[in-house]
């Protein structure tokens, strides 16, 4: 294990490694070079490429990777991600989640119309019952 002063990977460097032959994966603040592993990954190459340039921690944990899978990690370890990059990457995930939320739930923007519609219905009812 490379325990003494690990190398810091800047956001720029991390974002430069998003190709199959040049691919970094970020897990729990640590950067791994999976270029040599991508063809052997039992989960396939697509899932790894889809995580390029992002924090893959949640996806990695959601799969429930085995201890054997985790034992591969030290071999691919490059260094720790720059502290500043963590904030930027988190913001990117948040922004993506928010735009997804708006895309799947556009109706929520119109909920303010419900009381207006009820009021309109009440006045319409008053109007019709008064003129009857
Ligand atoms: C360096 C990082 C990674 C390593 C070393 C790795 C290793 C492995 C290994 C050894 C397996 C076989 C099952 C197991 O032992 O758990 C596996 C399965 C899998 N991995 Fe990864 N993996 C990595 C990253 C990722 C990432 C970022 C994703 C993103 C979603 C992912 C998705 C999957 C999926 C979907 C499977 C298949 C699970 C199944 O069919 O049961 N892996 N991985």
């Amino acid at each position: 294990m490379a325990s003494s002063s690990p190398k810091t990977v800047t956001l720029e460097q991390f974002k430069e490694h998003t190709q199959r032959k040049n691919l970094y994966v970020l897990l729990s603040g640590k950067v791994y070079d999976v270029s040599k592993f991508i063809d052997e990954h039992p989960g396939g190459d697509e899932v790894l490429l889809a995580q390029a340039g992002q924090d893959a921690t949640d996806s990695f944990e959601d799969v429930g990777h085995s201890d054997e899978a985790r034992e591969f990690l030290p071999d691919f370890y490059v260094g720790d991600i720059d502290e500043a990059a963590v904030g930027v990457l988190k913001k990117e995930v948040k922004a993506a989640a928010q735009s997804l939320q708006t895309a799947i739930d556009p109706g929520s923007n119109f909920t303010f119309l419900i009381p207006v519609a009820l009021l309109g219905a009440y006045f319409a009812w008053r109007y019709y019952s008064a003129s009857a």
Side-chain angles (χ1 to χ4, degrees):
M1 269 286 276
S3 58
S4 59
S5 61
K7 191 184 151 207
T8 299
V9 179
T10 65
L11 182 64
E12 208 175 24
Q13 288 165 339
F14 180 58
K15 295 272 186 184
E16 273 166 9
H17 294 77
T18 55
Q19 307 296 314
R20 161 183 283 278
K21 293 213 164 357
N22 219 343
L23 185 63
Y24 281 0
V25 162
L26 174 61
L27 299 173
S28 305
K30 293 188 187 318
V31 176
Y32 300 97
D33 184 343
V34 292
S35 315
K36 300 226 160 57
F37 176 69
I38 185 161
D39 289 331
E40 291 161 42
H41 181 223
D45 53 358
E46 291 290 327
V47 288
L48 291 182
L49 280 165
Q51 299 299 325
Q54 304 170 40
D55 189 340
T57 312
D58 291 347
S59 313
F60 182 83
E61 294 302 337
D62 285 351
V63 170
H65 279 91
S66 66
D67 288 345
E68 281 86 26
R70 286 160 209 273
E71 278 164 20
F72 279 107
L73 295 179
D75 293 342
F76 308 145
Y77 180 63
V78 178
D80 291 352
I81 193 88
D82 185 3
E83 278 293 315
V86 176
V88 176
L89 290 165
K90 280 216 176 92
K91 261 192 220 137
E92 283 180 4
V93 170
K94 228 174 147 189
Q98 269 165 3
S99 60
L100 185 68
Q101 182 65 34
T102 326
I104 55 174
D105 193 14
S108 63
N109 296 333
F110 296 101
T111 44
F112 73 94
L113 282 177
I114 293 171
V116 177
L118 286 175
L119 204 66
Y122 169 70
F123 279 111
W125 171 76
R126 275 217 356 195
Y127 175 78
Y128 283 113
S129 25
S131 60

